[in-house]
Amino acid sequence: MYLRVADTLRKRIASGEFQEGDRLPSVPSLAADLGISRSTAAEALKVLISEGLAVARSGSGTYVRLPREPQRLIRAWHRATPYGSPFRQDMERQDREAGWTYKSQTIQAPPEIRDRLGLDESGGDVEDAVRTDYVFSADGEPVMLSTSWEPLEVTRGTPIVLPEDGMLAGRGVAERMLSIGMPIDDWVEEVGARLGTAEECERLQHPPGSIMVTIQRTYYAGETQVETADIVVPADRFALVYSGKMRRVSNR
């Protein structure tokens, strides 16, 4: 029965009766209108959520979320300009408005991050990194999460010690590091895919268990790791596009 109810709702979405962002009938409403149990109504809504046609918002209800063509997320070193926010550049190229929220804190880097940043073994409770947690949005919709770590031995005492404070706030890692004489000349990214955690799915307004693309990125200035980040994007929302110029090789 719940599959029949889900099919009915699916057809109402396909016909345009329910548009993107519309609130679907609540469990009590479905149960009363269709003469079914509340558990059957709840299971029907869960089907739509699992298919990506709806998203549940705690304390608010279940809303239509239509499939879209994946947006391109450029992962390129050579851009039109090395300055400014790469994310904002990507969104502007696609006529979308970029935005983000963040929270920064100084902290002692955990073992895995210490290895990625080339930090010595920790001693005592010394804070040696700045961690910044981001939620990036496009046209007001959350589309990407990022946790960035920068070593304080590189930025301590400089105007860029906090990524989102000062004159270069929000300008991107490359421009900020260049301002303190640490030009980034290399980068490494490891790309994977996994089920999103409950927290990630909630923050990205995706159904529980959605597939996420993960990017583990590290920036280098010479032999020094100046930033490492864990990036999470919904697999159904973005296509990663990689490009980079190759060095010209003489045939002589």
Side-chain angles (χ1 to χ4, degrees), residues 23-242:
R23 187 176 184 271
L24 291 171
S26 65
V27 168
S29 177
L30 279 175
D33 291 346
L34 301 178
I36 58 177
S37 68
R38 291 194 176 192
S39 61
T40 298
E43 288 300 317
L45 291 175
K46 286 181 181 178
V47 170
L48 297 184
I49 292 171
S50 69
E51 293 176 348
L53 289 175
V55 60
R57 297 176 185 168
S58 180
S60 178
T62 304
Y63 294 81
V64 176
R65 183 175 178 277
L66 298 178
R68 301 177 188 172
E69 285 294 319
Q71 300 292 313
R72 303 173 77 219
L73 186 63
I74 307 298
R75 313 299 301 167
W77 179 250
H78 296 278
R79 295 174 178 268
T81 171
Y83 303 107
S85 164
F87 178 76
R88 176 171 282 133
Q89 292 176 29
D90 288 345
M91 294 301 101
E92 288 178 348
R93 191 179 297 110
Q94 299 172 49
D95 295 324
R96 306 187 74 185
E97 183 179 353
W100 57 85
T101 60
Y102 67 92
K103 178 183 178 181
S104 292
Q105 58 183 320
T106 57
I107 194 172
Q108 184 177 96
E112 179 189 355
I113 300 301
R114 304 191 74 80
D115 183 61
R116 285 161 56 178
L117 289 176
L119 298 177
D120 295 333
E121 187 174 343
S122 61
D125 298 322
V126 177
E127 297 177 344
D128 50 19
V130 173
R131 169 177 170 160
T132 305
D133 295 284
Y134 291 94
V135 179
F136 291 90
S137 62
D139 295 335
E141 175 191 6
V143 294
M144 182 170 71
L145 306 176
S146 176
T147 301
S148 168
W149 302 79
E150 296 180 358
L152 279 170
E153 65 182 24
V154 171
T155 62
R156 183 183 279 113
T158 73
I160 68 162
V161 65
L162 295 178
E164 299 295 329
D165 286 354
M167 295 184 63
L168 293 180
R171 299 293 293 173
V173 180
E175 183 176 356
R176 290 175 49 252
M177 292 298 168
L178 181 61
S179 73
I180 61 170
M182 299 291 288
I184 294 174
D185 54 15
D186 197 6
W187 62 311
V188 175
E189 290 194 347
E190 296 181 16
V191 180
R194 59 169 172 76
L195 296 178
T197 67
E199 180 183 4
E200 289 168 346
C201 291
E202 181 178 0
R203 294 172 74 187
L204 289 168
Q205 297 180 10
H206 265 57
S210 294
I211 301 297
M212 301 290 170
V213 174
T214 62
I215 305 170
Q216 184 184 105
R217 179 193 70 205
T218 302
Y219 279 140
Y220 293 81
E223 298 298 319
T224 302
Q225 297 98 313
V226 297
E227 190 254 13
T228 192
D230 291 303
I231 301 166
V232 177
V233 296
D236 66 336
R237 285 300 198 236
F238 281 102
L240 303 184
V241 180
Y242 282 82

